[in-house]
């Protein structure tokens, strides 16, 4: 909390660049609607990817908003400063994203029937992606060395706190069948299959041709060239893509290029310990 770059919200560090008292008050008072679709992610887990694929899935395959509206206004973060400016402009059903843990969601979320898509990613790859993001984003603390950053990550001294707390909070049984759990790794392996699961969960259909277009548009190499999704609209003094592009590698397993054997053992032990009293299992557990 000591850094000038963050404000504290219920014990979480949030970047001042995109969060303030007004945006958090807006978040708390937000009227969540029954047909809203909310994507929940711990940062660096596939948020931007979902901002790319959800609008055409919800709107008959139409790619117009993906080609004309920046991702942060197209599928806004509920807690960020842009939310109050764009929320009323969203087409129904609205799609929005949030990095918040379950217990901090606004009161109307709990009384609504809004559906939730939770995207998880191997925390080792999340930490690598976050490390590079901290280097390129001037509004975040300098990450220090990779090893130093991993210590902060494991301790939860990073924006939105500990990865394990986030994952655990969203396993709340009260969510019932309102929530669909997917992983970044499944999207890498079989994007079409994941999109079909999402359509099924949302009770929607798309023609095979329209789905092909959504898949194609959501491919990493195509998102890289979409100025509405690659953060090139952000001034270089805020996000310096020469240091590291926002859409950096877009792969699963890049952690293997960053972790020593010792660091890997330490990381695995901490995560396992913090999840040991849960029944949460992930495809990367055996790696
Ligand atoms: S943020 O800052 O929380 O919104 O970041 P987020 O969008 O959640 O995560 C950024 C990482 O997601 C990768 N990404 C993709 N990977 C594969 N395919 C597609 N289409 C795609 N879109 C975004 C992005 O490259 C970041 O991961 P890294 O590992 O840094 O490349």
């Amino acid at each position: 909390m000591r850094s000038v770059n963050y404000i504290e919200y219920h014990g979480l560090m949030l970047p001042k660049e995109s969060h303030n008292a007004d945006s958090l008050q807006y978040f708390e008072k937000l009227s969540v609607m029954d047909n809203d679709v909310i994507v929940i992610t711990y940062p660096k887990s596939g948020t931007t990817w979902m901002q790319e694929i959800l609008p055409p899935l919800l709107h008959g395959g139409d790619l117009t908003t993906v080609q004309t509206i920046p991702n942060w206004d197209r599928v806004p973060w509920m807690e960020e400063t842009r939310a109050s400016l764009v929320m009323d402009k969203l087409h129904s059903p609205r799609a929005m994203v949030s990095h918040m843990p379950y217990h901090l969601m606004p009161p109307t979320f709990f009384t609504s029937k809004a559906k939730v898509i939770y995207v998880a990613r191997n925390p080792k790859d999340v930490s690598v992606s976050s490390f590079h993001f901290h280097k390129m984003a001037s509004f975040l603390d300098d990450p220090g060395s990779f090893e130093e950053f991993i210590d902060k990550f494991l301790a939860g001294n990073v924006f939105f706190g500990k990865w394990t707390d986030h994952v655990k909070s969203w396993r709340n049984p009260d969510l019932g069948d309102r929530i669909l759990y997917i992983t970044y790794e499944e999207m890498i392996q079989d994007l079409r299959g994941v999109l079909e699961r999402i359509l099924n969960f949302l009770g929607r259909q798309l023609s095979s041709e329209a789905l092909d277009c959504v898949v194609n548009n959501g491919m990493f190499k195509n998102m890289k060239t979409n100025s509405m999704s690659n953060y090139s609209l952000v001034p270089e003094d805020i996000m310096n893509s020469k240091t590291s592009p926002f859409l950096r590698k877009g792969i699963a397993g890049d952690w293997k290029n960053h972790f020593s054997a010792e660091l890997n053992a330490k990381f695995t032990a901490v995560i396992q310990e913090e999840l040991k009293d849960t029944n949460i299992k992930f495809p990367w557990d055996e790696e």
Side-chain angles (χ1 to χ4, degrees), residues 43-49 77 99 121 129 133 184 188 218-220 223 246-250:
K44 316 317 289 183
S45 301
T47 325
T48 318
W49 205 352
W77 274 268
H99 292 317
R121 185 182 187 186
S129 181
F133 186 50
Y184 175 95
I188 291 278
M219 284 169 71
F220 186 71
M223 280 180 65
F246 184 94
L247 297 174
R248 195 182 57 89
K249 281 202 181 170

Side-chain angles (χ1 to χ4, degrees), residues 204-231:
R204 299 191 156 258
Q205 288 181 333
L206 272 192
S207 70
S208 187
E209 296 73 34
L211 193 53
D212 286 342
C213 289
V214 181
V215 170
N216 186 51
N217 183 71
M219 284 169 71
F220 186 71
K221 67 173 192 319
N222 295 334
M223 280 180 65
K224 283 261 295 184
T225 58
N226 181 357
S227 63
M228 294 297 140
S229 309
N230 63 12
Y231 281 86

Side-chain angles (χ1 to χ4, degrees), residues 41 59 69 75 90 125 137 147 161 168 174 210 213 225 232 252 256:
T41 52
H59 299 285
I69 304 177
V75 183
L90 300 180
D125 282 332
E147 286 70 19
K168 285 194 268 191
D174 291 348
C213 289
T225 58
S232 59
K256 291 171 190 160

Side-chain angles (χ1 to χ4, degrees), residues 1 15 41-42 95 108 117 127 132 138 141 162 189 239 285:
M1 288 337 128
T41 52
Y42 182 84
T108 55
I117 303 171
S127 69
H132 291 285
S138 63
D141 281 358
K162 266 190 198 184
Q189 242 182 18
M239 286 190 186
D285 286 344

Side-chain angles (χ1 to χ4, degrees), residues 76-144:
W77 274 268
M78 298 163 78
E79 60 271 17
E80 291 198 2
T81 47
R82 299 290 305 168
S84 64
L85 304 173
V86 299
M87 204 58 88
D88 290 344
K89 299 187 185 129
L90 300 180
H91 295 273
S92 177
R94 305 186 300 184
M96 52 194 90
V97 292
S98 176
H99 292 317
M100 285 290 181
Y102 177 70
H103 63 278
L104 294 183
M105 291 299 277
T108 55
F109 168 77
F110 297 101
T111 52
S112 80
K113 298 188 176 102
K115 291 198 169 173
V116 179
I117 303 171
Y118 188 97
V119 189
R121 185 182 187 186
N122 186 334
K124 290 175 191 166
D125 282 332
V126 169
S127 69
V128 169
S129 181
S130 191
F131 172 72
H132 291 285
F133 186 50
H134 278 72
K135 279 185 171 291
M136 66 87 83
S138 63
F139 54 88
L140 298 176
D141 281 358
D142 184 302

